[in-house]
Amino acid sequence: MRKPVVEYKDFRLSRIREPQYRHLLYLIGWPIYFMLYFLTENLIPLEACTPIWCPLDDVIPFCEWFVIPYVGWYLLIVGSLWYLARYNPKQFENLMKFIIVTQTVAMAVYILFPNRQDLRPLAFERKNILTWIVSLLYSADTSTGVCPSLHVAYSIGIASTFLKEKTVSKLTRILITLFCISVCLSVSFIKQHSVVDIVAALPVCLLAEWIAFGKSYWRRGERE
């Protein structure tokens, strides 16, 4: 088994500015995001939000099986950051830069252009454990602040990071990428997002890709 580049058994918050732990400072982006998320969810009324919709949304059927990759996305984020923090701190920094850029842009859009989706089914045709999980998601997460989709943006960032990651096998990179694609599809199939939200995330990801990797990875690749 590979030996981690950084060990955290001796880590203390007081040591976070030391070179071997400094990459963890990027985690400050998460509490800032959660604070803004809480504010936008609770201070922007539903009636002030513009509905997001396109004809393709009505063609895509509800499929509760897609809740598996949708929920798995949370584990994907934690697992990806945990792995990179141990085995490739530089890529950890790059992924966090990608996430912070997409968070910042998305929050700005949610505030300046409040939006929502009205795609959720009023009732499920089938009752099973998967539809029960979807109903929990619906109750825990409002239908506002949807465009661009951060589920999609984070997934693209993780796929991009691991496609560049040489510390994992080619098969692992392929499997992670396929899972990220399934997450991007899941947001429409469980009616959490419009197709518009998916498409809107793409230019945000291009900006994040350039900021996170443009100067370090792509230019290095040209020299190689």
Side-chain angles (χ1 to χ4, degrees):
M1 189 173 181
R2 290 186 67 253
K3 184 178 180 180
V5 175
V6 181
E7 290 283 3
Y8 293 92
K9 60 183 179 181
D10 296 324
F11 173 73
R12 302 292 184 275
L13 193 59
S14 60
R15 301 182 62 189
I16 198 169
R17 290 186 177 275
E18 294 180 10
Q20 68 269 35
Y21 302 127
R22 194 172 296 161
H23 56 281
L24 296 178
L25 288 169
Y26 282 92
L27 291 174
I28 193 65
W30 287 106
I32 295 173
Y33 163 73
F34 287 128
M35 180 185 67
L36 291 173
Y37 173 82
F38 176 82
L39 292 174
T40 56
E41 288 287 293
N42 291 276
L43 297 182
I44 300 177
L46 184 67
E47 55 272 18
C49 298
T50 301
I52 304 297
W53 172 86
C54 73
L56 190 55
D57 295 327
D58 295 337
V59 177
I60 298 174
F62 172 85
C63 179
E64 67 267 27
W65 285 98
F66 277 94
V67 76
I68 296 174
Y70 187 92
V71 172
W73 174 82
Y74 297 98
L75 297 177
L76 177 68
I77 294 173
V78 174
S80 298
L81 292 175
W82 175 85
Y83 178 87
L84 294 172
R86 298 185 73 206
Y87 294 102
N88 194 336
K90 181 58 181 177
Q91 284 292 66
F92 174 91
E93 291 182 5
N94 290 336
L95 178 56
M96 279 306 307
K97 288 177 185 177
F98 192 107
I99 289 173
I100 289 170
V101 171
T102 57
Q103 287 173 341
T104 302
V105 174
M107 285 295 113
V109 173
Y110 299 162
I111 293 170
L112 299 175
F113 176 64
N115 55 76
R116 72 175 196 266
Q117 56 92 350
D118 300 323
L119 303 171
R120 296 176 177 180
L122 298 177
F124 299 118
E125 294 181 4
R126 297 168 296 278
K127 290 187 178 180
N128 51 48
I129 185 65
L130 297 178
T131 54
W132 176 74
I133 294 174
V134 174
S135 67
L136 288 180
L137 287 172
Y138 286 177
S139 61
D141 188 13
T142 70
S143 59
T144 61
V146 292
C147 183
S149 168
L150 285 177
H151 249 74
V152 172
Y154 293 178
S155 297
I156 292 175
I158 291 171
S160 175
T161 301
F162 275 95
L163 284 173
K164 303 176 182 70
E165 183 55 44
K166 304 304 182 184
T167 64
V168 296
S169 67
K170 182 178 180 180
L171 177 60
T172 300
R173 296 198 295 270
I174 292 173
L175 290 176
I176 290 175
T177 301
L178 290 176
F179 185 80
C180 289
I181 292 172
S182 71
V183 172
C184 295
L185 295 174
S186 74
V187 301
S188 282
F189 278 95
I190 67 167
K191 301 302 178 180
Q192 281 287 78
H193 286 277
S194 164
V195 172
V196 176
D197 306 336
I198 299 174
V199 175
L202 300 181
V204 179
C205 290
L206 286 175
L207 173 64
E209 176 75 17
W210 182 81
I211 292 175
F213 298 104
K215 295 179 180 179
S216 59
Y217 180 81
W218 298 113
R219 289 183 182 177
R220 185 176 70 248
E222 289 175 4
R223 291 196 300 268
E224 294 172 354

